[in-house]
Amino acid sequence: MALFSRLSAIALAASLVFAPNVALCSDAWKTGVNLSGAELNPGRNRPNIDYVLPTTQQIDYFTERGLLTFRIPVLSSRLFVSDKSIVTEDWRALVGLIDYAARKGADVIIDLHQYGAIDSRLIGRDASATQEFAAVWGEIAARLRGRTNVIFGLMNEPHEQSAAEWLTGANAAIAAIRKSGARQLILVPGSYWSGAHSWTNTDNGAVMTGVVDPGDNFAYELHQYLDADSSGTSPQASLGAGKARLKEFTEWARARHAKAFLGEFGFAATPEALAEGRAMLDFMAQNRDVWVGWAYWAAGAWWGDYMFSVEPKDGHDRPQMSVLSAYGRARRR
């Protein structure tokens, strides 16, 4: 609980003054990691027992290695109480992390990690879920509209609703964000897990052109893994996947003058997987007219020996860090 108290104090002090309203979305290449932990075990709400928030030490570690974008998965139910006028200790801790990251020159993506749902109700299909989703984002945006290092990641991997249903929910949330006065970048996924490899093979390709952003400051959020079925459940990386699986989406986006951010990808520490991971990063770096950046999955204190983890182990970098750090340090070239 000491972590929560410390970050809450940071947040309280920082909340008294908003950051200056400048450069709400720069052209900088945004490279970083997911700091997982706060989204774990939905329905169980004991901090540091059921879930864990990222730390300032993690931000220090990754910024020192050239990674300056942090996607932080959270659950809306842990941020606000009842009518959303009362924030939780978790919210204050999150704001503390945002402000600490700002002092390190880093961005924070707030990622509602709920797979397209509010409780068990599907956003876009269920009217009450859609309304609550928009209200949550309106409240988050209103409270953070002056913090210029914040990016709004609407939702992690919607997949049960159709693209048309999901678009209804996404546009409602975008409208609420802009109504609050917030002008920061918004990341908009598609349905069907928002996979890059399947984007043009589903109705995401047709339907998600209907994103409406009054602030004209959004990018599509894609996820992509390298194993045979793109699920990210195997350490095996298919030969050529690093380049090929982003290609069709990239062409789709370029034809529509759209921007994209790779919100999740991961690769194991085998030579083959490292090579494919490097190829994927190379591909995005060579297509920066479309890609604005990426966040690797994942870091997090509780990942242990997870095959994609880049949380340092016994004080040592994981093998994947040599690849990520090389591209992170080149982010502004």
Side-chain angles (χ1 to χ4, degrees):
M1 297 298 293
L3 164 66
F4 283 75
S5 299
R6 185 168 64 254
L7 289 178
S8 295
I10 295 171
L12 180 60
S15 66
L16 299 177
V17 181
F18 277 143
N21 192 14
V22 296
L24 290 167
C25 177
S26 72
D27 292 329
W29 185 226
K30 300 180 184 302
T31 59
V33 297
N34 285 261
L35 293 182
S36 172
E39 82 284 13
L40 299 176
N41 296 316
R44 294 158 52 186
N45 296 312
R46 297 170 298 172
N48 298 320
I49 297 174
D50 298 321
Y51 64 98
V52 61
L53 282 180
T55 66
T56 57
Q57 289 79 13
Q58 287 172 311
I59 291 175
D60 288 342
Y61 171 81
F62 288 106
T63 55
E64 287 167 3
R65 285 154 180 80
L67 300 176
L68 298 177
T69 300
F70 298 97
R71 184 176 183 253
I72 300 183
V74 295
L75 302 179
S76 60
S77 61
R78 291 176 178 157
L79 299 180
F80 302 106
V81 177
S82 61
D83 66 354
K84 303 176 186 60
S85 64
I86 302 173
V87 298
T88 64
E89 199 70 10
D90 287 32
W91 170 267
R92 287 186 281 271
L94 176 62
V95 174
L97 286 169
I98 289 168
D99 291 339
Y100 186 82
R103 292 195 290 275
K104 305 287 285 191
D107 297 320
V108 169
I109 300 167
I110 298 176
D111 158 48
L112 289 194
H113 209 83
Q114 298 173 200
Y115 300 95
I118 298 285
D119 302 322
S120 59
R121 297 166 292 143
L122 292 180
I123 297 163
R125 181 177 298 177
D126 184 286
S128 65
T130 304
Q131 182 178 15
E132 184 171 347
F133 179 55
V136 165
W137 270 117
E139 188 68 27
I140 291 172
R143 291 176 179 272
L144 297 178
R145 64 190 174 205
R147 287 177 166 83
T148 60
N149 68 319
V150 170
I151 297 168
F152 304 124
L154 289 187
M155 178 58 59
N156 182 70
E157 296 184 347
H159 59 277
E160 291 189 51
Q161 57 269 77
S162 68
E165 289 171 326
W166 165 245
L167 180 63
T168 298
N171 279 340
I174 294 169
I177 290 169
R178 297 308 184 209
K179 185 177 180 181
S180 78
R183 298 193 290 118
Q184 294 100 316
L185 177 66
I186 299 174
L187 301 181
V188 185
S191 191
Y192 321 117
W193 310 95
S194 207
H197 69 285
S198 62
W199 188 269
T200 59
N201 297 327
T202 67
D203 57 346
N204 275 336
V207 171
M208 295 307 294
T209 58
V211 171
V212 177
D213 177 11
D216 192 26
N217 189 19
F218 80 94
Y220 292 102
E221 181 181 329
L222 285 297
H223 292 184
Q224 188 57 56
Y225 290 93
L226 300 170
D227 48 350
D229 61 359
S230 294
S231 65
T233 56
S234 169
Q236 301 293 328
S238 298
L239 183 63
K243 177 178 179 180
R245 292 190 183 166
L246 298 182
K247 188 173 185 296
E248 286 191 11
F249 170 81
T250 301
E251 292 172 351
W252 177 92
R254 179 174 290 122
R256 291 158 180 79
H257 306 287
K259 300 294 184 181
F261 181 87
L262 194 64
E264 284 189 22
F265 67 103
F267 45 90
T270 65
E272 297 81 7
L274 291 170
E276 292 301 331
R278 188 177 293 107
M280 179 173 280
L281 293 169
D282 251 344
F283 181 85
M284 286 186 285
Q286 293 165 11
N287 291 275
R288 283 181 56 175
D289 61 314
V290 169
W291 296 97
V292 300
W294 44 262
Y296 180 90
W297 183 269
W302 289 2
W303 278 116
D305 290 326
Y306 172 56
M307 60 188 172
F308 297 155
S309 177
V310 288
E311 191 71 20
K313 185 175 182 180
D314 300 325
H316 299 291
D317 288 355
R318 305 282 183 140
Q320 295 94 327
M321 275 307 304
S322 63
V323 177
L324 298 176
S325 182
Y327 284 86
R329 293 186 187 283
R331 59 180 281 165
R332 296 188 185 277
R333 292 179 185 171

